[in-house]
């Protein structure tokens, strides 16, 4: 007698929604630590009696550690599974937060920021790896809503981060922006321990490419430190970065188990295009975010609080467009619209000046915020479909690395065009430079025909 089929076995499996909480809470650790510090630099400098040039290392220390740590920890996620790396990384965040809160010197505080950078580097590649494995388990072709939830959470935190930081500083001083990491770390550890799946017990036969990691880190740090201060006396850093980069390529091509498989990456042109779009888009976004804000305070003569309020339309429009378009799996339309709107956003500052009405300046923020939301979400979704499944963690980490590379290029551009202050002339010149970058972004997006296939129903 033939046994009757089990109805439960034929029922489609769904994404384990218990994973969403640890993924979202873990992924906000980096943006909350980036954004809260913006309002703490002045009180920290006053507490230690140091100038802004010294406190700037609190920002760059986090950026450098994150840019290096994301792909490295992502590779460890690929090898050992997301659960252990997520738990270790979020535990480091708690330790770093406690160290920062008790720091007796600026050097120790900078060290705590570096540790925060490495600790916060685990959750995003772990989350992308979890989404990929859940899609494989359930047969979900495109978990667009899950991917958009990560993007929305990060953007919301970026919006409220400075406000939250100001509130915490008002309650207990600048130490509180570090102390807040302790309860967040505990929450991540509890959620992760309860709900993150354990990887199958298997002996890892792949050896970690320590030489490749060291060369990659050396190349990246040399180039990023040069971008922080691009002047003739620092050209040796550019040359050192180029030399280490060449050695890195040679070592990776000769390695049996490379840190970054350049042969596979070189044959994956759509993924390379996504990384290029990421660095171009965030060069514009960060240049606008920091450059426009500085101009509002110096060129337009607004106070810090007023300038901060004028950034709300930018951030809220980015969140709104992500919510509206997040459930659509297709990415080409978002990227084309996002790149063209970024070009428009680079033209608009040419028509603002010291007497421009406040409501028009708020409109400028809306025009800049919409493409930020479109590009950030669409590039993340594109990577999800383009990356090698076995290297999803390291591929996702590299996406964040290119984002921070864009941030450092933006910092260098702002320093160049605002070297005599955040004047209206400097803003116009910066906008022209960004228009060239936006033109490259439009070109790269239109030439990438593979984008049209992402999100389309596949024929049976």
């Amino acid at each position: 007698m033939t046994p009757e089929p089990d109805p439960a076995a034929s029922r489609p499996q769904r994404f384990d929604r218990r994973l969403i909480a640890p993924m979202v809470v873990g992924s906000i650790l980096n943006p909350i630590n980036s954004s809260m510090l913006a309002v703490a630099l002045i009180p920290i400098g006053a507490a230690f009696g140091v100038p802004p040039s010294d406190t700037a290392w609190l920002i760059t220390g986090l950026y450098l550690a994150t840019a290096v740590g994301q792909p490295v920890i992502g590779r460890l996620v690929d090898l050992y599974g997301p659960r252990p790396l997520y738990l270790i990384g979020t535990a480091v965040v708690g330790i770093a937060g406690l160290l920062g809160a008790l720091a007796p010197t600026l050097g120790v505080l900078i060290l705590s920021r570096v540790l925060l950078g490495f600790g916060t580097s685990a959750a995003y590649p772990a989350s992308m790896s979890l989404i990929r494995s859940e899609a494989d388990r359930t047969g979900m072709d495109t978990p667009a809503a899950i991917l958009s939830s990560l993007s929305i959470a990060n953007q919301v935190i970026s919006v409220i981060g400075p406000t939250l930081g100001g509130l915490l500083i008002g309650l207990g001083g600048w130490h509180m922006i570090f102390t807040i990491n302790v309860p967040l770390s505990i929450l991540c550890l509890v959620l992760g321990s309860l709900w993150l799946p354990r990887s199958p017990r298997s002996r890892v036969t792949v050896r970690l490419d320590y030489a490749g990691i060291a060369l990659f880190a050396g190349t990246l740090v040399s180039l990023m430190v040069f971008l922080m201060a691009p002047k003739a006396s620092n050209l040796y850093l550019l040359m050192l970065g180029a030399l280490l980069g060449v050695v890195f390529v040679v070592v990776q091509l000769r390695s049996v188990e490379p840190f970054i498989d350049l042969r596979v990456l070189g044959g994956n042109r759509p993924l390379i295009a996504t990384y290029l779009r990421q660095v171009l888009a965030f060069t514009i976004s960060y240049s606008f975010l920091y450059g426009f804000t500085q101009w509002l305070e110096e060129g337009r003569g607004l106070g810090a609080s007023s300038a901060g309020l004028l950034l709300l339309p930018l951030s809220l429009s980015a969140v709104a467009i992500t919510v509206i378009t997040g459930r659509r799996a297709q990415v080409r339309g978002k990227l084309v619209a996002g790149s063209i709107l970024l070009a428009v956003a680079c033209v608009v500052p040419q028509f603002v000046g010291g007497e421009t009405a406040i409501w028009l300046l708020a409109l400028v923020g809306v025009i800049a915020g919409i493409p930020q939301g479109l590009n950030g979400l669409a590039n993340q979704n594109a990577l999800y479909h383009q990356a090698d499944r076995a290297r999803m963690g390291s591929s996702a980490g590299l996406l964040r690395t290119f984002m921070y590379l864009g941030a450092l290029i933006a910092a260098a551009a702002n320093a160049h065009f605002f070297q005599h202050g955040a004047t209206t002339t400097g803003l116009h010149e910066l906008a022209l430079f960004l228009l060239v970058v936006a033109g490259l972004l439009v070109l790269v997006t239109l030439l990438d025909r593979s984008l049209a296939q992402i999100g389309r129903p596949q024929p049976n």
Side-chain angles (χ1 to χ4, degrees):
M1 183 176 180
T2 305
E4 293 185 6
D6 183 3
S10 59
R11 192 180 302 138
Q13 300 185 73
R14 295 186 177 184
F15 190 97
D16 187 353
R17 293 191 173 272
R18 294 177 302 174
L19 300 178
I20 297 177
M23 288 194 304
V24 168
V25 177
S27 69
I28 68 171
L29 293 174
N30 191 276
I32 198 172
N33 278 286
S34 297
S35 57
M36 285 195 305
L37 187 70
V39 294
L41 291 174
I42 298 300
I44 289 174
F48 291 109
V50 296
S53 58
D54 288 347
T55 57
W57 280 102
L58 294 169
I59 300 173
T60 54
L62 181 76
Y63 277 174
L64 287 171
T66 305
V68 173
Q70 290 272 355
V72 172
I73 296 177
R75 182 58 180 149
L76 293 173
V77 168
D78 294 331
L79 295 178
Y80 298 99
R83 178 186 169 94
L85 272 301
Y86 178 96
L87 295 177
I88 293 171
T90 52
V92 169
V93 169
I95 295 170
L98 192 60
L99 178 64
L102 302 175
T105 65
L106 181 65
V108 175
L109 196 61
I110 293 172
L111 174 62
S112 75
R113 291 284 291 181
V114 172
L115 286 176
L116 274 173
F118 284 117
T120 60
S121 293
Y124 181 71
S127 297
M128 292 293 284
S129 179
L130 281 167
I131 294 172
R132 178 74 266 173
S133 61
E134 277 294 285
D136 292 341
R137 181 184 68 82
T138 61
M140 289 175 59
D141 182 42
T142 310
I146 307 298
L147 288 167
S148 66
S149 67
L150 292 181
S151 183
I152 292 169
N154 280 258
Q155 290 181 23
V156 168
I157 286 298
S158 296
V159 173
I160 69 173
T163 304
L164 176 61
L167 177 62
L168 291 172
I169 292 171
L171 289 174
W174 61 264
H175 303 83
M176 292 296 292
I177 70 166
F178 291 89
T179 307
I180 191 67
N181 285 288
V182 177
L184 286 174
S185 170
I186 293 172
L187 180 60
C188 287
L189 289 170
V190 171
L191 294 175
S193 299
L194 289 175
W195 293 329
L196 293 188
R198 297 181 182 274
S199 301
R201 288 183 175 272
S202 60
R203 297 182 64 184
V204 178
T205 57
V206 179
R207 295 180 59 188
L208 201 58
D209 181 12
Y210 296 104
I213 290 173
L215 288 167
F216 174 82
T219 300
L220 199 59
V221 169
S222 298
L223 293 177
M224 293 179 112
V225 172
F226 172 77
L227 286 174
M228 286 157 47
K231 50 188 179 181
S233 59
N234 288 338
L235 278 176
Y236 74 94
L237 290 169
L238 187 62
M239 297 173 62
L240 176 62
L243 177 62
L244 291 174
V246 171
V247 177
F248 171 74
V249 171
V250 172
V251 169
Q252 295 302 280
L253 291 176
R254 291 181 178 180
S255 176
V256 178
E257 299 167 349
F259 165 53
I260 297 177
D261 196 333
L262 296 180
R263 294 185 182 87
V264 173
L265 183 61
N268 192 342
R269 292 184 179 180
L271 183 57
I272 294 175
T274 295
Y275 288 145
L276 183 56
R277 283 193 305 272
Q278 184 83 341
V279 70
L280 292 172
F282 277 94
T283 295
I284 299 170
S285 294
Y286 277 108
S287 293
F288 192 91
L289 179 64
Y290 296 131
F292 188 59
T293 305
Q294 290 179 72
W295 175 80
L296 287 173
E297 295 185 38
E298 291 189 35
R300 184 60 174 76
L302 300 179
S305 58
S306 299
L309 286 175
L310 269 177
L311 288 182
L312 278 178
L314 184 154
S315 302
L316 293 176
S317 62
V319 173
I321 197 67
T322 303
V323 172
I324 293 170
T325 64
R327 290 184 175 275
R328 293 182 58 85
Q330 294 84 356
V331 302
R332 189 176 189 276
K334 298 175 191 176
L335 288 169
V336 171
S339 59
I340 293 174
L341 283 172
L342 267 185
V344 173
C346 295
V347 172
V348 172
Q350 297 293 334
F351 302 98
V352 304
E355 303 299 323
T356 303
I358 294 296
W359 71 269
L360 284 174
L361 296 177
L363 181 60
V364 172
V366 172
I367 295 172
I370 292 174
Q372 180 177 315
L374 289 171
N375 288 316
L377 175 62
N379 279 328
Q380 175 184 267
N381 290 6
L383 174 131
Y384 173 80
H385 290 275
Q386 294 164 343
D388 180 5
R389 296 186 178 192
R391 288 179 172 263
M392 180 58 70
S394 53
S395 298
L398 276 174
L399 188 70
R400 285 291 181 93
T401 295
F402 280 99
M403 181 182 79
Y404 286 114
L405 182 58
L408 285 170
I409 294 174
N414 286 343
H416 175 74
F417 292 107
F418 288 163
Q419 55 186 313
H420 301 299
T423 63
T424 299
T425 300
L427 178 67
H428 292 170
E429 292 175 348
L430 174 64
L432 284 176
F433 164 73
L434 296 179
L435 185 59
V436 174
V437 178
L440 291 174
L441 178 61
V442 172
L443 186 63
V444 171
T445 303
L446 293 177
L447 291 177
D448 189 354
R449 298 181 179 179
S450 69
L451 296 173
Q453 304 302 317
I454 297 177
R456 281 188 176 183
Q458 297 299 317
N460 295 325

